[in-house]
Amino acid sequence: MVNLTYDLHIHSCLSPCGDDDMTPGNIVGMAAIKGLDVIAVTDHNSCKNCPVVMKLAEAYGVLAIPGMEINTSEEVHAVCLFPGLEEALAFDAYVYDRLMKFPNKEAVFGKQQICNEDDEVIGTEPNLLINSVDISFDRLWDLVRSFKGVMFPAHVEKSANSLIANLGFIPPDSRFKTAELKDLKKLHQVRKQNPYLEGCRIISNSDAHYLEHINEPHLTLPVGEKSIRGVLETLLGNG
């Protein structure tokens, strides 16, 4: 068993709410400086900066997992992680087809930038990525598993865009084995109010939109091996 320091919910400059400095190179470099073992860049409804992140992370010696923060039809945010780029980009295409298309207004929402390995902007996403997609939360587990990935609800204690806030409860037929809590001080209260979470692994990611907010290496995730597979197996409850 290996304990890995982690941050599995980071936004790049592709997310309109992400700072322009959140380029793939800057994210990976900051993770390396802070001493994180594993990261995941999870932009809103998109995986398009994941290929560059993964290539740079390999050079820095950081394990990177391709992922996305999806916004379901109920406006519930969930983090979806995949075993490789092939699955992540296939999921990206599936989600994009179901994204409510609305032109992004950079002056209002922010830029949505796609970068190359030199952190140069090589493209932008024209449709606003923070809109909801036509995928319900109750479909999400099976859908992500069909792409060989794993899903966990994001920031469950938040008063907006969380599973508990938006649905009002955790569906009794839920199958996720990991949940994200941004503020671990609320762990006891959240578990007491939501018995389903008693059986879940609770992790805490940064949901960083700025470089300085990326996790410090204080929290660890026990895995069977330092690999994407090892991390996903732990998140699936098999670790």
Side-chain angles (χ1 to χ4, degrees):
M1 190 66 68
V2 182
N3 290 313
L4 302 182
T5 55
Y6 69 91
D7 192 344
L8 303 179
H9 185 173
I10 300 172
H11 291 272
S12 81
C13 54
L14 177 55
S15 292
C17 44
D19 188 67
D20 289 351
D21 287 338
M22 292 294 277
T23 59
N26 283 345
I27 291 171
V28 173
M30 182 62 77
I33 289 171
K34 290 193 172 192
L36 292 174
D37 295 312
V38 57
I39 63 170
V41 168
T42 54
D43 286 307
H44 289 292
N45 296 323
S46 183
C47 300
K48 291 183 174 64
N49 267 342
C50 290
V52 173
V53 168
M54 293 187 72
K55 187 165 187 178
L56 293 173
E58 185 177 4
Y60 274 87
V62 176
L63 179 64
I65 303 175
M68 170 192 297
E69 182 178 23
I70 195 170
N71 186 14
T72 71
S73 56
E74 305 93 344
E75 306 247 353
V76 172
H77 287 186
V79 173
C80 309
L81 303 178
F82 300 93
L85 283 174
E86 181 179 355
E87 295 87 353
L89 295 177
F91 187 74
D92 175 283
Y94 184 94
V95 169
Y96 193 77
D97 283 345
R98 290 155 180 80
L99 174 70
M100 183 173 65
K101 302 301 191 293
F102 182 83
N104 181 37
K105 298 180 180 179
E106 289 187 354
V108 177
F109 301 108
K111 299 175 183 177
Q112 299 183 150
Q113 302 176 117
I114 302 169
C115 297
N116 64 15
E117 296 169 34
D118 297 316
D119 278 351
E120 297 168 335
V121 177
I122 58 171
T124 58
E125 170 50 51
N127 290 307
L128 184 63
L129 290 172
I130 57 174
N131 280 335
S132 62
V133 300
D134 187 20
I135 299 170
S136 63
F137 184 83
D138 64 357
R139 285 186 53 213
L140 191 56
W141 178 263
D142 285 336
L143 176 63
V144 174
R145 292 300 294 138
S146 74
F147 287 86
K148 303 178 182 177
V150 61
M151 175 277 287
F152 56 84
H155 41 65
V156 294
E157 85 279 21
K158 286 183 65 175
S159 60
N161 299 119
S162 74
L163 174 60
I164 296 170
N166 284 40
L167 295 189
F169 65 102
I170 295 177
D173 58 349
S174 294
R175 282 180 282 167
F176 60 85
K177 297 300 181 183
T178 299
E180 177 189 276
L181 196 70
K182 188 169 175 61
D183 184 359
L184 287 175
K185 294 177 182 178
K186 298 181 179 179
L187 176 58
H188 177 72
Q189 174 189 351
V190 172
R191 272 189 163 156
K192 184 177 180 181
Q193 295 172 345
N194 302 277
Y196 181 87
L197 296 180
E198 288 289 346
C200 287
R201 179 182 299 278
I202 302 298
I203 61 175
S204 185
N205 300 304
S206 68
D207 190 11
H209 295 73
Y210 297 88
L211 288 170
E212 61 267 27
H213 294 162
I214 292 173
N215 271 2
E216 299 293 335
H218 300 321
L219 302 174
T220 60
L221 191 68
V223 300
E225 61 181 25
K226 185 180 178 180
S227 67
I228 294 177
R229 178 181 176 180
V231 174
L232 296 190
E233 284 295 311
T234 291
L235 300 178
L236 283 167
N238 300 331

